[in-house]
């Protein structure tokens, strides 16, 4: 078992990582919450696998439990689901002394966190993340959100959980593509941190190694995210480093309309941004190859899709939230573990990305 303490202006909370933790989720939660009513929010994939066990353990520890299930998938990060859940909390008479527990991936965490943030102006919130992406990233940091038809994560709040309980065993039921996708974010963090973390990802030479090394990989990722969040809770400066690979990656993801999962698009973004900065003489070319090797070892894509056009890529990049004052800020590395930032005026963007978009149609 390892524990990382996250301390923000709003709250200090523990993130516990332990194989088999679900079997003692009740006693673990009882260390931070006094017995109360808990609404376990889960989805139609995770619920059938783990909700009964979580419910039984919570009841054994003295909690009263209501399980609420939303359809699996991004479309549940919506106003209709928020309203349905809030109505259910109210119907179950949850009070300010009660709590919401998110049991699932990043979708459930973002949705349940938002519901906890606004119901009765905010009730207690706990995270039990079950996807790799949620275990290494979305469960820590306090960002909650739902989507609008006009874009992802457009409504939400910063709302930190009281505790994050991570059981890497839950990853054994995660579909392989989702496991690998979550690993894309881990490689990003390891490259930003360097040292032992980068040495650890060298050991992942095939997809099965992600599961074998899950606990230390999660620990290193969370420790890094916690440091960044503690330094910069609301994304003013340091937190921007987490956008490494996301400028191109997010544009590819948007353009693909579901063809690429987020971590797959980030993998493409990481290697392409490294090639871009290498071409500008700002990053050693060998770094792009190192990143490529780590990502392709588990089967992640790294090439820009051949049917992507430069026009479509530039159009997708116009939606980037990192555009400030008519310039787009890119994160790059001067060495493994040495991140830096560079702002490019929007008017220069087409020329700036030309070294990697050369083979694409205009
Ligand atoms: N809040 C943040 O800081 C933050 C950061 C990154 C991403 N996100 C959000 O996270 C979401 C993506 O998260 P995700 O990739 O976990 O997606 P997800 O929640 O949709 O989970 C992926 C799929 O795996 C299933 N699943 C999850 N755990 C499982 C398990 N143990 N066994 C079997 N199936 C399981 C889910 O039902 C779903 O079908 C996006 O909405 C994104 O915006 C939030």
């Amino acid at each position: 078992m390892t524990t990382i303490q996250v301390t923000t202006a709003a709250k200090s909370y523990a993130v516990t990582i332990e194989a088999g933790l679900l079997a003692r989720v009740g006693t673990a939660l009882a260390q931070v919450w006094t017995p109360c009513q808990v609404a376990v929010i889960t989805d139609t994939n995770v619920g059938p696998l783990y909700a009964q066990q979580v419910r039984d353990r919570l009841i054994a520890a003295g909690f009263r439990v209501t399980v609420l299930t939303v359809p699996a998938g991004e479309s549940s990060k919506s106003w209709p689901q928020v309203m349905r859940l809030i109505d259910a909390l109210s119907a179950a008479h949850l009070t300010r002394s009660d709590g919401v527990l998110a049991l699932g991936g990043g979708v459930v965490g973002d949705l349940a966190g938002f519901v906890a943030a606004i119901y009765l102006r905010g009730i207690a919130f706990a995270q039990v993340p079950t996807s790799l992406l949620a275990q290494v990233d979305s469960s820590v940091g306090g960002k909650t959100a739902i989507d609008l038809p006009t874009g992802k994560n457009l409504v939400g709040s910063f709302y930190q959980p009281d505790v994050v309980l991570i059981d890497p065993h839950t990853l054994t039921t995660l579909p392989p593509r989702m496991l690998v996708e979550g690993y894309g974010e881990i490689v990003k963090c390891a490259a930003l941190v360097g040292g032992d973390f980068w040495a650890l990802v060298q050991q992942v030479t095939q997809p099965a190694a992600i599961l074998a090394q899950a606990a230390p990989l999660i620990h290193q990722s969370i420790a890094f995210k916690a440091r960044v969040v503690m330094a910069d809770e609301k994304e003013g400066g340091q937190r921007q480093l987490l956008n490494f690979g996301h400028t191109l990656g997010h544009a590819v993801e948007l353009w693909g309309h579901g063809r690429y999962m987020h971590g797959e698009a980030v993998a493409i973004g990481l290697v392409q941004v490294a090639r871009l900065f290498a071409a500008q003489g700002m990053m050693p070319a060998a770094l792009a190859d190192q990143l490529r090797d780590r990502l392709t070892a588990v089967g992640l894509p790294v090439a820009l899709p051949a049917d992507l056009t430069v026009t479509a890529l530039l159009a997708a990049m116009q939606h980037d939230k990192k555009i400030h004052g008519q310039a787009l800020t890119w994160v790059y590395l001067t060495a493994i573990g040495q991140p830096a930032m560079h702002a490019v005026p929007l008017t220069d963007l087409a020329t700036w990305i030309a070294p990697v978009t050369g083979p694409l149609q205009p």
Side-chain angles (χ1 to χ4, degrees):
M1 179 185 102
T2 61
T3 297
I4 295 160
Q5 196 67 26
V6 182
T7 304
T8 68
K11 189 177 279 181
S12 179
Y13 57 97
V15 181
T16 299
I17 304 154
E18 180 184 330
L21 181 55
L22 235 48
R24 59 172 202 90
V25 67
T27 49
L29 194 66
Q31 287 177 351
V32 283
W33 289 356
T34 48
C36 62
Q37 184 168 190
V38 179
V40 174
I41 298 181
T42 188
D43 74 19
T44 45
N45 290 335
V46 178
L49 293 167
Y50 301 111
Q52 182 71 42
Q53 182 186 9
V54 167
R55 183 177 171 278
D56 291 350
R57 302 295 171 176
L58 291 178
I59 289 171
F63 294 98
R64 285 165 293 126
V65 181
T66 304
V67 176
L68 303 169
T69 306
V70 299
E74 184 71 26
S75 61
S76 278
K77 283 174 57 173
S78 67
W79 281 121
Q81 287 302 334
V82 169
M83 288 188 276
R84 195 180 72 82
L85 290 169
I86 294 227
D87 282 345
L89 299 187
S90 185
H93 305 293
L94 262 82
T95 69
R96 278 230 168 116
S97 315
D98 298 319
V100 165
L101 182 147
L103 173 68
V107 163
V108 163
D110 279 12
L111 171 66
F114 183 55
V115 165
I118 61 173
Y119 178 68
L120 301 180
R121 300 195 185 90
I123 66 170
F125 177 49
Q127 289 260 24
V128 181
T130 61
S131 71
L132 186 58
L133 183 113
Q135 294 188 350
V136 300
D137 186 0
S138 62
S139 61
V140 173
K143 280 191 189 175
T144 77
I146 57 166
D147 305 332
L148 294 181
T150 42
K152 274 189 62 161
N153 299 324
L154 293 185
V155 178
S157 66
F158 281 93
Y159 199 66
Q160 303 289 345
D162 293 331
V163 69
V164 182
L165 301 171
I166 300 177
D167 182 350
H169 269 176
T170 58
L171 300 177
T172 54
T173 55
L174 193 65
R177 186 176 173 193
M178 282 160 192
L179 185 74
V180 165
E181 185 242 348
Y183 181 68
E185 286 285 336
I186 296 181
V187 172
K188 175 199 79 177
C189 295
L192 290 168
V193 173
D196 290 348
F197 195 178
W198 186 248
L200 182 63
V201 297
Q202 308 297 312
Q203 295 173 33
V204 179
T205 53
Q206 52 172 314
I210 303 172
L211 275 183
Q213 300 289 345
L217 287 169
I218 295 165
H219 181 95
Q220 291 277 3
S221 304
I222 295 280
F224 169 61
K225 182 148 188 200
R227 283 201 301 278
V228 172
V229 169
M230 286 192 275
D232 180 15
E233 191 176 351
K234 297 201 175 163
E235 202 152 354
Q238 281 289 307
R239 202 160 174 166
Q240 283 189 56
L241 294 179
L242 299 174
N243 292 326
F244 181 39
H246 283 57
T247 308
L248 276 173
H250 197 234
V252 170
E253 186 183 1
L254 261 183
W255 165 83
H257 288 288
R259 190 199 300 189
Y260 294 100
M261 299 186 71
H262 177 72
E264 294 168 347
V266 167
I268 295 172
L270 287 171
V271 171
Q272 296 304 324
V273 80
R275 288 187 180 152
L276 196 51
F277 277 84
Q280 310 288 351
M282 296 169 75
M283 191 162 163
L287 284 188
D289 295 342
Q290 284 179 280
L291 284 165
R292 178 204 60 204
D293 291 349
R294 299 283 41 87
L295 296 162
T296 54
V298 298
L300 280 164
V302 293
L304 286 173
D307 53 336
L308 173 67
T309 63
V310 179
T311 310
L313 184 63
L314 285 167
M317 286 169 74
Q318 299 300 321
H319 295 284
D320 203 298
K321 281 189 275 188
K322 294 166 292 293
I323 293 175
H324 296 292
Q326 293 304 302
L328 183 55
T329 301
W330 297 69
V331 180
Y332 68 105
L333 304 177
T334 55
I336 292 294
Q338 300 292 324
M341 287 194 262
H342 180 70
V344 177
L346 294 184
T347 46
D348 297 349
L349 213 49
T351 322
W352 171 260
I353 61 171
V356 293
T357 55
L360 300 180
Q361 296 294 316

